[in-house]
Amino acid sequence: MQRQLEIAAELTARLGGGEGFHHVHWRSQLELALDCFVCERTGRTTVLELGAERALCSGSTSSGFPSHYTAARIAAFDVTSGDDRLALRAVVSFWWAPFTDARTGLRGAAPTLQPWVRLHLAYNCPDEDAKDPHPFTTQTNAIRPTSESCTHCTRPVATSTRAPTIRLMD
């Protein structure tokens, strides 16, 4: 059956330009814990990229099932900003079927019993000539508040005070 999850996150960052402005932006990749009916393992890290029609499941090398493609994709990816706030809302659509994990005996669930997401961001330092943005991440299991500082000028770039949320839709 097809299921959908909504992921929401918010960061504080200097967005209006001026001193300290680092052009913080969400990147189009995310990692999400899903129970995979293909390799029949629970809590697999699944890598999703905006625009891709399938995702990559981390698989289970201990069970002889290496990473593999799975039926999941980013169905929506909405970014909003204002008042030094940068927000993301993503919808992940995935296929799921009941199974029992052969190694742990746990029943697969949608969403997984321990939901987790890692979101990718980047920034450009105004004091640096480099064209490539500096990547960083935020995720549900980080201790809050958490801050990111520029690797070039050491000014604060973004702060996360609340963990991203994961909500099953339907």
Side-chain angles (χ1 to χ4, degrees):
M1 82 181 77
Q2 187 172 16
R3 305 303 304 257
Q4 290 190 327
L5 291 173
E6 178 186 60
I7 299 164
E10 186 175 297
L11 297 174
T12 303
R14 178 165 297 208
L15 300 174
E19 184 162 339
F21 174 69
H22 275 71
H23 184 65
V24 178
H25 54 280
W26 296 103
R27 300 194 76 157
S28 59
Q29 183 184 69
L30 62 89
E31 296 165 66
L32 176 66
L34 289 175
D35 289 356
C36 180
F37 74 96
V38 175
C39 62
E40 294 189 343
R41 293 299 314 275
T42 57
R44 301 293 90 191
T45 297
T46 306
V47 180
L48 299 113
E49 183 74 39
L50 183 62
E53 291 299 320
R54 59 187 180 179
L56 186 65
C57 171
S58 62
S60 175
T61 53
S62 63
S63 297
F65 210 110
S67 62
H68 58 88
Y69 290 114
T70 190
R73 69 184 188 90
I74 299 173
F77 194 85
D78 302 315
V79 174
T80 57
S81 61
D83 297 331
D84 292 342
R85 181 183 73 85
L86 184 64
L88 168 73
R89 178 187 168 273
V91 175
V92 173
S93 179
F94 62 100
W95 283 95
W96 183 84
F99 68 91
T100 300
D101 188 309
R103 185 160 184 218
T104 65
L106 293 172
R107 300 229 356 110
T112 188
L113 296 177
Q114 297 177 348
W116 168 87
V117 66
R118 177 183 295 134
L119 302 168
H120 294 259
L121 300 100
Y123 63 88
N124 295 88
C125 179
D127 298 340
E128 187 180 29
D129 291 332
K131 301 288 185 233
D132 293 330
H134 296 275
F136 70 103
T137 62
T138 187
Q139 59 193 55
T140 50
N141 60 346
I143 297 171
R144 300 288 190 291
T146 184
S147 295
E148 181 72 21
S149 294
C150 179
T151 57
H152 178 74
C153 70
T154 69
R155 282 184 274 196
V157 173
T159 301
S160 172
T161 57
R162 288 182 288 167
T165 60
I166 302 169
R167 179 179 69 89
L168 183 64
M169 300 171 73
D170 298 333

